[in-house]
Amino acid sequence: MMRSRIFQKGLISRIFALALLWWLLTGGAMHSWIIGIPAILLGLYVHAYLPRISPFRFSLKGAFFFLLYFLKQSFLAGLDVAVRAFHPKLPLNPSLVSYHYRLTNELEVVFFANTISLLPGTLSTHIEKGCVLVHTLDQSQPTYDNLRDLENRIGKVFGEEFL
Amino acid sequence: MSYSGFASILFTGLGLVFFIAGTVGLLRFPDVYTRLHALTKADNLGLGMVILGLLLNTNRVDILLKLLLIWLVILFSSATCCYLIAQTGLNMKIKPWEKK
């Protein structure tokens, strides 16, 4: 019989992480652990059977700079779309742009696609054959350069350098 | 009123303005893709500001972490839902609206 996948490496840290989550959600109420402990066991079980992702590196420095960039861009994105929504003339000039990415790890690509949707004027709609199809609100924006910049920054978070 | 109380109300109020902007965009924008832009980005900023306003209102670490966790989980789910809706739109051959 195969040994259960639940007991793979890192079990203790997974239990700890899930317990911390439960403690946060419930404010540490003692009797809530009657539900919490079965919930943690269920979480461990679900985690064991989720698809594996290939290993990746992670740079704390890259992540810190990415967070600053992300907060600034989120602010600009919200402001931009709010102005367009309230503007009497509704200034929109959408288009679809296909962007060929260089990121290799599937986790990075998912991260990339999700971040695109939260940045100013861009929305990822489809990923296929090394390309992400991006819907843009304004054709006059330098979408290609913006996506390239974002991709480089994500590369730095996961320890990838592009030429 | 304390400064932090004032800042808390200011940020939460600003956040609500952006939530309203997202809804106005949802009603006014011409097609599913442009509406997704309005919802994801305006609501993301609105949520960020409401969370920031609430963070200023607490001095308990567990509530602070809980608010940050809520922010993170909503960011992930809104970006993922947005992608799924846009992809379904493309699969159903819904053509993006174009400026005439």
Side-chain angles (χ1 to χ4, degrees), chain A residues 21 24-25 75 78-79 82 85-88 90 92-94 114 117 119 121-127 133 135 137, chain B residues 18 21 24-25 28-30 33-34 37-38 40-41 44-45 49 62 65-66 69 79 82-83 86-87 90 96-97 99:
Chain A
L21 257 170
L24 278 180
L25 290 173
F75 181 77
L79 206 60
F86 284 129
H87 198 289
L90 213 61
L92 299 172
N93 189 8
N114 277 344
S117 301
L119 295 194
T122 53
L123 189 94
S124 57
T125 60
H126 189 64
I127 304 172
L133 193 59
H135 183 269
L137 272 189
Chain B
F18 282 103
V24 168
R28 289 191 73 209
F29 283 1
Y33 308 104
T34 47
H37 278 275
T40 48
K41 296 184 232 308
N44 169 26
L45 182 56
M49 289 197 165
D62 58 334
L65 289 174
K66 193 190 216 169
L69 182 70
C82 167
Y83 175 78
Q87 194 182 39
L90 283 181
W97 177 87
K99 193 179 180 184

